[in-house]
Amino acid sequence: MVWEGDRGASGGAEDDLPIFNAENLQSNVKSIYYSRTFLSIIGGVIAGIWGFTGFTGFIFYFLVMAAASFGLATQAKFSVCTYFDSWNRIFLDGIFGGLMSFVLFWTFAYDIVHIF
Amino acid sequence: FLSRGVEFLSPFLPSKGTKRWQRLQIRPLLFFLSQKGLCFGGAAASMAEDLVLDTAIRDWVLVPLSVVMVLIGVLRYFVSKLMRSHQAPDLKVVKEGQVILRARNLRAASGFIPAKSFRSRKTYFTNEENGLLHVPKGQSQNAQAQMFSDPNLAMDMMKKNLSMIIPQTLTFAWVNFFFSGFVAAKIPFPLTQRFRGMLQNGIDLSTVDVSYVSSRSWYFLNLFGLRGLFSLILGEENAMDDTQRMMQMSGFGFDPSRVIA
C-alpha cells in the first residue's frame, strides 16, 4: 500500500559519510508513519473484536508493530543506508504515537462487540 | 438480554392498621444495568462482573461523539486553510534564505570539490568585510525576538492557537452537559483506583469497576486517538499540529514530519 513510496535516500556512495537526500528521506519517514498509524487502527479493531483485555491487548499491539518493522526491513532490503539514516527509523519510530489510536479503536470495538 | 431499568424498592413501610403501604420507587437511573450479582446495598468488594449496557448508549453516545469529533476536526482543517492569510514574501528574507541554502549545500557536498575551491567558497561567505553570512557581533538578532516583533507571525500563531482551543472547549462543554452521569464505555484494560476520580466523574457509585468510564473520558480518548486518523485522512498538514508540538515539548511522542527541519 505504501511500499511503492519508498525512495532511495542516500546517493553517491562516497567514503564514510553518506549524503542524504533530505526530501526523499522525509518522504520515507512519512510513509513509515502512515503505515504504522494505519496498522495500529486496524490492530485496535482486531484486538477489540477478539476480546483481548489487559496486557494481552498491549502485547498484541507490540506484536503488530514488530511485524510492521519486519515488513519494513524486508522492503528496505535489510540495508539501512539505502533508504534511511539509522536503524532507529525502521524499528523504533512512531511506536508510541500509534498507541493512542490503538487504544481508542480497541476500546471502541471491544465495547461494541462485547459489552453492548 | 438487556433488561430494562432498575427499580429500587426502598423499604416499603408496612402499616399499622388500615393504611396502605407505600412503595417508594425511584425512577430508573439513566444507566440501565442488568444485575448479575451486582449488589448495591451491600458494600461487598466488587468482582470483575460484566455489566451489560444498553444499546442506546452505544447508538446515542459513543458513535455520535466520535463522529462529531471527526467532523469538527475536518471542519477546523478547512477553516484554518481558508483563513490562512497569504502574505507576499519579503524579498530580503527570501534572499537570505537562499544564501543559507547555498551555504548548506556547500557544507554537505564539501567532499566533492577540491580543497582550494572549498576554501575560496568558504571565504566568500564568511570573510570579515563583505562576506554574505558574516554578521557583526552585536547585531545578530535573537530569532525569537524577531518572531514576536513581526506582527503577522504573531497573528498567525494566535489564530492557530485559537482555532485549536475553541472547538475543544465547546465540545468539552457539550459533552459535559449532555452526556454526564452514566457509564459510557468499558476500557479493556484494568486501571488502579487512583484513576477513578478522573475517569468516572459523573458516576457516583464507588464499587463499580474503574474500567467503566464516563463519557468525559471517552471524549479524551477520542481527542488523543483521532490524531492518527486525521493524519491519514487529511494529509500531513492538518490542524492537529499544535497537539503534536505540545507532545514534543512534553518529551514523548515523535513527530516524523519534522524530522528534517
Side-chain angles (χ1 to χ4, degrees):
Chain A
M1 148 206 67
V2 289
W3 304 130
E4 301 85 33
D6 278 354
R7 293 194 263 170
S10 79
E14 287 302 312
D15 25 41
D16 32 357
L17 205 60
I19 302 173
F20 297 108
N21 183 347
E23 172 191 321
N24 285 354
L25 182 64
Q26 194 175 6
S27 144
N28 291 346
V29 167
K30 228 178 271 190
S31 75
I32 290 186
Y33 175 65
Y34 286 154
S35 65
R36 278 202 201 276
T37 309
F38 189 67
L39 277 175
S40 57
I41 290 179
I42 301 287
V45 174
I46 291 180
I49 292 179
W50 275 351
F52 291 142
T53 57
F55 270 126
T56 324
F58 287 112
I59 292 177
F60 179 71
Y61 173 68
F62 284 115
L63 271 177
V64 167
M65 285 291 120
S69 299
F70 182 69
L72 279 165
T74 311
Q75 190 67 19
K77 304 187 192 54
F78 288 108
S79 80
V80 70
C81 288
T82 336
Y83 293 107
F84 304 102
D85 54 351
S86 79
W87 280 108
N88 283 346
R89 297 257 184 266
I90 306 184
F91 288 124
L92 299 180
D93 189 9
I95 286 194
F96 293 105
L99 190 63
M100 290 309 300
S101 304
F102 173 78
V103 167
L104 169 70
F105 282 94
W106 180 24
T107 308
F108 197 46
Y110 181 80
D111 280 351
I112 287 186
V113 172
H114 292 275
I115 305 287
F116 288 112
Chain B
F1 52 90
L2 298 162
S3 70
R4 286 194 53 101
V6 173
E7 300 182 53
F8 284 98
L9 299 174
S10 65
F12 55 87
L13 315 167
S15 63
K16 303 182 171 54
T18 58
K19 264 192 271 185
R20 278 183 311 129
W21 52 265
Q22 299 169 343
R23 184 179 59 170
L24 295 175
Q25 177 183 338
I26 300 180
R27 285 177 55 226
L29 297 176
L30 194 57
F31 59 94
F32 304 106
L33 304 173
S34 94
Q35 312 190 29
K36 291 191 198 169
L38 188 66
C39 128
F40 284 132
S46 66
M47 300 297 140
E49 64 287 288
D50 260 356
L51 299 180
V52 176
L53 303 174
D54 196 358
T55 320
I57 298 185
R58 174 192 66 196
D59 290 344
W60 296 101
V61 173
L62 289 196
V63 171
L65 194 52
S66 297
V67 165
V68 161
M69 290 189 73
V70 169
L71 289 179
I72 285 185
V74 172
L75 186 71
R76 181 174 52 207
Y77 168 68
F78 283 121
V79 163
S80 75
K81 224 171 159 189
L82 286 174
M83 273 185 17
R84 191 162 305 155
S85 59
H86 177 73
Q87 57 209 46
D90 189 14
L91 182 64
K92 185 160 157 314
V93 169
V94 170
K95 263 189 182 175
E96 276 180 12
Q98 294 295 82
V99 165
I100 290 181
L101 205 57
R102 195 176 154 194
R104 193 185 296 171
N105 282 342
L106 172 68
R107 198 174 56 199
S110 53
F112 296 108
I113 52 178
K116 195 157 86 88
S117 343
F118 175 68
R119 272 199 304 269
S120 70
R121 281 177 172 82
K122 190 170 101 141
T123 333
Y124 172 65
F125 280 120
T126 58
N127 70 359
E128 301 270 330
E129 294 114 37
N130 55 358
L132 291 181
L133 293 177
H134 181 71
V135 174
K137 269 232 185 281
Q139 279 184 15
S140 64
Q141 282 174 320
N142 199 2
Q144 213 171 13
Q146 206 173 18
M147 191 161 66
F148 282 128
S149 71
D150 187 7
N152 279 335
L153 223 52
M155 191 50 120
D156 261 348
M157 215 162 54
M158 207 169 62
K159 254 194 287 189
K160 206 197 276 203
N161 276 342
L162 224 56
S163 82
M164 186 80 194
I165 290 178
I166 285 189
Q168 275 188 16
T169 318
L170 284 178
T171 316
F172 188 55
W174 175 69
V175 164
N176 268 348
F177 179 65
F178 278 112
F179 300 123
S180 59
F182 57 94
V183 172
K186 175 178 196 287
I187 48 182
F189 46 92
L191 289 173
T192 63
Q193 298 295 320
R194 287 188 306 143
F195 288 100
R196 184 184 289 275
M198 188 167 66
L199 297 176
Q200 283 189 345
N201 65 317
I203 306 170
D204 291 328
L205 303 172
S206 57
T207 56
V208 173
D209 209 1
V210 191
S211 294
Y212 292 95
V213 298
S214 68
S215 41
R216 189 191 282 190
S217 53
W218 177 248
Y219 167 74
F220 280 117
L221 197 61
N222 268 11
L223 190 65
F224 291 121
L226 285 177
R227 290 187 300 124
L229 189 68
F230 282 143
S231 77
L232 280 182
I233 62 180
L234 294 179
E236 46 285 347
E237 188 198 322
N238 53 43
M240 301 306 278
D241 279 355
D242 273 1
T243 325
Q244 283 179 341
R245 228 187 300 147
M246 248 179 1
M247 296 198 87
Q248 250 185 329
M249 286 197 286
S250 66
F252 65 100
F254 182 81
D255 189 0
S257 61
R258 297 193 202 285
V259 165
I260 312 286

